[in-house]
Structures are given as C-alpha cells and as structure tokens.
C-alpha cells in the first residue's frame, strides 16, 4: 500500500462518503417517509394516499401525480415523534459527515502536496494525513449512528401506529435511502481505519496522528550541571603543588 501517496482506499472512501451525504440530502428532501392509504368503498371515488415527509405533506388520488393537498408548513406541526426526531438527527448527521469529508480531503491534499519530511521546528503546527483520516473515520462512524438509529425507529414506530389506529401506515423509500446511506458512511469509516492500520507501522516518527519529535533531537540536548558537578569540575581543574623536602 502506497502510504506516502494518495491511495485508492482514501479516494474510494472520499467518493463513498460523498455519495452517502448525497443520499442523506435526498432523503431529507423527499416527502416519502410514511404513506397513509385511505380506501373508499364508493365506486365513484378513488383511494387517497397521503405522503408524509419531514418538511411537507402531499395527498394524491390513485393514478394522479398532482397533489390534492400540498402542505408546505407541515414541518411546524409534525405530530409524529419519530419524524420530529429525524428533523434534527439527519441535518446533524449530514453536518458531521461533511466535516469528515473536509478532513479527508485535507488529508489527501496534505499527502499529495506537502513534502515527505516536515520541518521539525513547525512539526506541532502542521497537519498530517494520518490524523486527518483517523478523525474523519470517527466522524463518519458518529454520522452513521446519528442517522441510522432514528431511521430504524421509524419502522418500529410505524408498527405502533398500525396497532394504535388502523393498518393503513407503511414506511416509504426515504427510510431505505437513509439506511443505505448509513451503510455507506460505515463502509467509508472502515476504509479509512484499514488504511490507517496498514500504514501506522511505518518507521517514520512523523507517521502518527500527532507529530512527535525525532529521537535524535533529544540525544544532543545539554543537561544542566548540578552544584556538586560544578564543584567537582573546579576541584579537578585546580593544580596540585607539592614541596620538595
């Protein structure tokens, strides 16, 4: 594995993370989190399907693409606890994943354009690739947990609504998109961790999450003399005078 160059694992992780964030963004905007089908026994009327999203609600008749009811202020009056939690969880997950993507990009740019051996005087002020990818992997895991937990809760809450009212509720495609995006975030984190674990065995002291000083720097450091050492040195330097009998 070319640890000192931009590797295919880090590029694949960046692309996977980008696709996962795009999936989360689509799931947030789509009004397809929960369906409620209302059946009628009147032959002159059509069945009605209510599409519930995080921000809007749309009601359509079967066979029609136009919304009979299009509520753009649904986000202010959400009466379903799982959707209310998702209104906060998914944006937080997206923000966390975007931060991880920026760190991953910084790490790749640092690998590609920064010299192999950084200036030891500026070592503590510099950014290195292992630290960026390691923190990015942790942020991807956090984003995965934030979006996956409430998305799975939607499935169980859907069963709760069917038992409490009538079996007219079903979860829609946004749930699948979010779970797939969470899987992509987890896959991205695993790729970054595997890359780091394969590269951390390099002998260079700079291949650490935080830069450390080389051992050679400490070998020439002058240690202060103690008072006894200085006195011993003075006593040794004094010449000894003997008298001849």
């Amino acid at each position: 594995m070319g640890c000192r160059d931009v590797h295919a694992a880090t590029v694949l992780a960046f692309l996977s993370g980008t696709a996962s964030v795009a999936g989360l963004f689509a799931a947030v905007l789509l009004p397809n989190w929960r369906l409620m089908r209302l059946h009628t026994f009147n032959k002159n009327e059509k069945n009605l399907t209510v599409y519930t999203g995080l921000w809007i609600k749309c009601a359509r008749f079967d066979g029609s693409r136009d919304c009979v009811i299009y509520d753009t202020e649904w986000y202010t009056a959400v009466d379903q606890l799982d959707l209310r939690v998702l209104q906060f969880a998914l944006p937080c997950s997206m923000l966390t994943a975007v931060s991880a993507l920026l760190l991953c990009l910084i790490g790749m740019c640092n690998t590609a354009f920064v010299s192999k051996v950084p200036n030891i005087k500026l070592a503590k002020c510099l950014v290195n690739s292992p630290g960026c990818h390691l923190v990015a992997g942790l942020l991807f895991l956090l984003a995965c947990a934030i979006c996956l937990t409430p998305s799975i809760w939607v499935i169980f809450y859907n069963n709760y609504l069917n038992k409490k009212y009538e079996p007219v509720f079903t979860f829609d495609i946004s749930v699948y998109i979010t779970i797939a995006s969470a899987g992509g975030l987890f896959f991205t984190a695993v790729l970054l961790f595997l890359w780091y674990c394969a590269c951390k065995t390099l002998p260079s002291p700079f291949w650490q999450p935080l830069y450390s000083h080389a051992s050679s720097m400490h070998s020439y450091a002058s240690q202060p003399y103690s008072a006894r050492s200085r006195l011993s040195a003075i006593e040794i330097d004094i010449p000894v005078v003997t008298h001849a009998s």
Side-chain angles (χ1 to χ4, degrees), residues 4 10 18-19 65 88 111 114 117 133 152 156 178 180 191 217:
R4 297 189 182 278
T10 56
T18 304
R65 294 185 177 180
F88 294 96
T111 303
V114 177
V117 180
H133 292 315
I152 295 178
F156 294 98
T178 306
L191 278 179
M217 288 187 60

Side-chain angles (χ1 to χ4, degrees), residues 61 111 164 169 179 188 203 214 221 233 236 245:
F61 288 112
T111 303
K164 184 177 181 179
F169 297 96
I179 293 177
T188 303
I236 293 173
S245 54

Side-chain angles (χ1 to χ4, degrees), residues 195-239:
W195 175 85
Y196 176 76
C197 290
C199 294
K200 71 176 183 178
T201 56
L202 290 181
S204 174
F206 304 108
W207 201 257
Q208 301 295 333
L210 295 176
Y211 283 125
S212 59
H213 292 291
S215 58
S216 59
M217 288 187 60
H218 301 282
S219 60
Y220 298 101
S222 59
Q223 299 295 331
Y225 286 105
S226 62
R228 183 174 179 83
S229 299
R230 290 195 299 269
L231 181 60
S232 300
I234 294 175
E235 292 175 352
I236 293 173
D237 293 338
I238 295 176

